[in-house]
Amino acid sequence: MELQELWQSVLGELELQISKPNFQTWLKNSFLSDKKDETVCLSLESAFAKEWVSNKYHKIILKIIRNFDPEIKDIIYQIQPSEEKTKPTISPHIKKLEADILSKTLDFPNYSIDPKTNLNSKYTLQNFVVGANNELAYSAGLGVISEVGRKYNPLFIYGGVGLGKTHLIQGIGNELRKLSKNKINIRYVSSETFTNEVINGIRMKKMDDLKTKYRKVDVLIIDDIQFISGKEATQQEFFHTFNALYENNKQIIISSDRSPYLLSTLEERLRSRFEGGMVADISYPDHETRVAILKTKMDSQGKEIILNNDIFELISQKFPYNIRELEGALIRLLGMLKIRKLAPTIENTSAILDEINNHRIRMISPDNIIATVVEFYNTTEKEIIGHSRKKELVKPRQIIMYLLREDLKNSFSTIARKLGNRDHTTILHAYNKISKDIIKNKMLSQEINLIKEKIYNNN
Ligand code: ADP
Ligand code: MG
């Protein structure tokens, strides 16, 4: 069968199995560009279509293709934008504005930080959307509010970058502040600030002041505790503050990017204190939650641009990542629509979101992934490429193989070549193993999430 004919047959089947908008959005202008040995190459219109199709539809496409041609064992994906899209010429000034929108860290307006509590009023429980990903952490927060210092103490909330930890713990603080009419003494502090205060306290011989300051607090909220692990003096001071507050039934709320169990350089006694309270995680939001979050974010915007429901759905589909990125996509989209003076139609929005996503994905390369994993596990690229079977090396090596396949859709033989000319069945084996283990082994899946966050957020 000719490639073109084969693909037409596959599309015919696929059209029956996936929704029409999805079919239209992702597979329009797709074609098979090549077949080598047991692998076909599928060309898609954009980097985002590539990521989406290969993540969501790989299995089903492969299954259908194999019905027509059982010889095919794998699909690799490539981007080949259709030629028809001719871009209008853009002035350098607009180009610069657009580049800023795509690459800068953007945020909705900051509101104000209350000097007494250090809380930012933009984080409230009212604008915190509750979904399956955070409901345990949220209801633990409500528990804390109803019985400050007695129920769930300490409250330890953990989860990856940009999933809402800071929002939730500050929201709890703001709610307590409101309910108590400012009577409760609340203090929010990042663990970096806390560390600096301890260092300065020691240097200026003002530790007593610092001790008094924190021991007057009724509710201590400390963000990103992972930063104090490994810093001995800070841990010591935090431990003493913690004990003093805890013994007086004062409430402590902590956030961390990983569970207490994974805080490897945390003093044991601190860790067991954390584990003795309430530990709740926040994970990735599902589609419905993402849409709800987008709508909430729009409520705080001017009414200059109005997005209808389909657009929210589209943003959520194209940005199934953390909430900070989701929010970033929305802000960038609004910026681009404004600069280009475009109406927020599905076509315009879709094209802009693809641009935003292409920008994001272009930053990630195999070397990126390798370097991040190597750093995470404190090893070297040389050791990874080498053939030692030491446990400390086998695991990161397999994770690299897994990520190159899962995230970049490299073919097994490409990965094999990249990693010291191994046999491609080794890669297949590693990929299958990690895919399976990730489901059973929570620690592994958390580690891989942390690694992915580092890969995607360091850009
Ligand atoms: P983290 O501290 O976990 O890195 P943040 O709390 O800073 O994440 O959240 C990142 C962004 O996403 C913030 O702008 C926050 O308001 C928003 N956000 C996160 N979770 C929610 C949620 N459940 N509802 C509304 N906005 C959220
Ligand atoms: Mg945070």
Side-chain angles (χ1 to χ4, degrees):
M1 211 188 261
E2 287 283 325
L3 283 182
Q4 207 190 339
E5 195 189 332
L6 171 64
W7 188 236
Q8 285 314 316
S9 318
V10 173
L11 284 179
E13 274 294 306
L14 253 180
E15 202 170 1
L16 305 174
Q17 300 199 25
I18 66 183
S19 77
K20 195 157 179 220
N22 273 330
F23 186 82
Q24 288 283 344
T25 313
W26 308 118
L27 294 157
K28 171 179 75 185
N29 299 327
S30 60
F31 60 97
L32 289 180
S33 54
D34 198 11
K35 179 176 178 225
K36 261 202 204 94
D37 308 324
E38 301 168 332
T39 305
V40 285
C41 180
L42 177 57
S43 285
L44 296 158
E45 207 177 16
S46 64
F48 190 65
K50 174 182 159 195
E51 192 178 85
W52 185 267
V53 172
S54 59
N55 271 319
K56 302 276 166 179
Y57 301 131
H58 179 75
K59 275 202 192 121
I60 136 166
I61 295 178
L62 190 60
K63 198 168 151 224
I64 300 174
I65 283 199
R66 287 174 51 84
N67 282 340
F68 292 104
D69 184 350
E71 202 183 76
I72 296 171
K73 299 255 156 41
D74 198 10
I75 309 169
I76 56 173
Y77 299 84
Q78 76 174 31
I79 312 161
Q80 205 157 88
S82 58
E83 313 269 308
E84 306 135 45
K85 274 197 210 156
T86 42
K87 286 209 172 130
T89 39
I90 311 170
S91 80
H93 171 65
I94 299 284
K95 257 198 186 137
K96 162 92 176 58
L97 287 177
E98 291 188 352
D100 281 354
I101 290 179
L102 284 176
S103 54
K104 274 199 188 138
T105 324
L106 300 161
D107 210 348
F108 284 116
N110 250 336
Y111 299 86
S112 61
I113 292 175
D114 169 48
K116 189 163 162 275
T117 58
N118 205 21
L119 289 167
N120 188 328
S121 63
K122 79 168 174 175
Y123 298 118
T124 67
L125 292 189
Q126 288 70 40
N127 64 19
F128 185 80
V129 175
V130 183
N133 64 312
N134 58 24
E135 63 188 337
L136 178 64
Y138 177 80
S139 48
L142 295 186
V144 163
I145 291 170
S146 68
E147 291 179 60
V148 184
R150 289 192 306 266
K151 199 169 182 180
Y152 304 146
N153 201 14
L155 171 61
F156 188 102
I157 290 173
Y158 71 91
V161 186
L163 293 179
K165 302 179 298 292
T166 299
H167 188 142
L168 179 60
I169 60 179
Q170 291 220 24
I172 298 169
N174 276 319
E175 189 69 16
L176 281 169
R177 191 180 143 210
K178 195 171 78 186
L179 290 174
S180 76
K181 306 207 167 56
N182 288 325
K183 295 251 164 51
I184 306 185
N185 192 355
I186 304 167
R187 187 83 198 158
Y188 167 86
V189 67
S190 70
S191 72
E192 271 162 320
T193 307
F194 186 82
T195 302
N196 288 335
E197 287 180 337
V198 171
I199 293 168
N200 282 335
I202 294 172
R203 190 171 333 124
M204 317 291 276
K205 303 206 163 52
K206 287 211 166 135
M207 275 312 276
D208 286 341
D209 293 359
L210 190 66
K211 286 197 168 90
T212 323
K213 172 175 159 188
Y214 277 102
R215 287 172 199 182
K216 276 201 307 225
V217 165
D218 299 312
V219 178
L220 176 63
I221 304 174
I222 179 151
D223 207 353
D224 287 321
I225 195 89
Q226 73 273 5
F227 289 122
I228 76 160
S229 72
K231 300 192 181 92
E232 228 168 89
T234 316
Q235 285 200 41
Q236 287 280 343
E237 188 44 40
F238 181 71
F239 185 71
H240 292 309
T241 308
F242 183 100
N243 278 345
L245 293 175
Y246 185 77
E247 275 153 22
N248 287 304
N249 291 326
K250 303 299 175 71
Q251 179 71 45
I252 298 150
I253 302 171
I254 298 160
S255 87
S256 160
D257 74 346
R258 57 199 93 174
S259 76
Y261 176 56
L262 284 181
L263 281 168
S264 56
T265 48
L266 196 70
E267 260 188 76
E268 195 45 49
R269 51 185 189 164
L270 252 180
R271 191 201 333 268
S272 56
R273 284 274 151 143
F274 294 164
E275 283 170 343
M278 171 74 183
V279 179
D281 74 324
I282 299 190
S283 58
Y284 280 78
D286 57 21
H287 175 67
E288 285 71 28
T289 310
R290 293 198 300 274
V291 169
I293 290 172
L294 288 167
K295 290 183 175 168
T296 313
K297 297 290 165 190
M298 269 314 268
D299 287 344
S300 66
Q301 288 295 288
K303 294 274 175 281
E304 220 174 315
I305 297 179
I306 296 188
L307 303 179
N308 68 28
N309 207 41
D310 291 351
I311 307 292
F312 290 120
E313 299 263 335
L314 190 67
I315 305 173
S316 162
Q317 275 178 355
K318 295 201 176 214
F319 283 80
Y321 316 114
N322 74 46
I323 300 169
R324 193 169 297 143
E325 294 210 38
L326 183 74
E327 210 178 318
L330 174 64
I331 298 171
R332 293 194 164 96
L333 170 70
L334 295 173
M336 294 292 244
L337 286 169
K338 217 148 113 191
I339 288 183
R340 294 184 182 167
K341 302 197 172 62
L342 291 173
T345 60
I346 287 271
E347 291 72 30
N348 291 340
T349 310
S350 181
I352 293 175
L353 290 173
D354 284 348
E355 263 179 79
I356 297 171
N357 233 328
N358 284 347
H359 185 84
R360 171 180 177 276
I361 295 166
R362 223 177 292 132
M363 302 296 182
I364 298 156
S365 67
D367 290 332
N368 228 213
I369 290 184
I370 295 172
T372 311
V373 176
V374 161
E375 190 191 306
F376 190 90
Y377 290 104
N378 217 346
T379 155
T380 63
E381 201 173 319
K382 201 165 155 224
E383 286 186 297
I384 291 292
I385 289 175
H387 287 262
S388 156
R389 311 258 336 129
K390 268 197 247 159
K391 213 174 134 204
E392 315 87 81
L393 293 176
V394 171
K395 179 174 159 189
R397 191 182 287 141
Q398 290 186 330
I399 290 178
I400 288 175
M401 295 170 182
Y402 168 81
L403 287 174
L404 289 178
R405 177 69 192 165
E406 185 72 18
D407 279 31
L408 295 189
K409 305 296 166 208
N410 283 179
S411 71
F412 292 123
S413 43
T414 309
I415 302 172
R417 241 175 291 126
K418 179 98 194 154
L419 297 177
N421 281 322
R422 300 181 132 76
D423 192 298
H424 79 275
T425 54
T426 310
I427 318 292
L428 180 66
H429 168 78
Y431 176 73
N432 288 339
K433 179 172 187 320
I434 301 286
S435 307
K436 255 190 238 140
D437 287 357
I438 241 177
I439 299 165
K440 295 181 298 204
N441 183 340
K442 196 151 184 228
M443 183 158 165
L444 178 71
S445 94
Q446 221 193 325
E447 283 176 11
I448 292 183
N449 280 339
L450 281 171
I451 293 169
K452 281 196 180 192
E453 274 151 21
K454 291 188 197 309
I455 294 170
Y456 288 98
N457 288 308
N458 282 344
N459 291 301

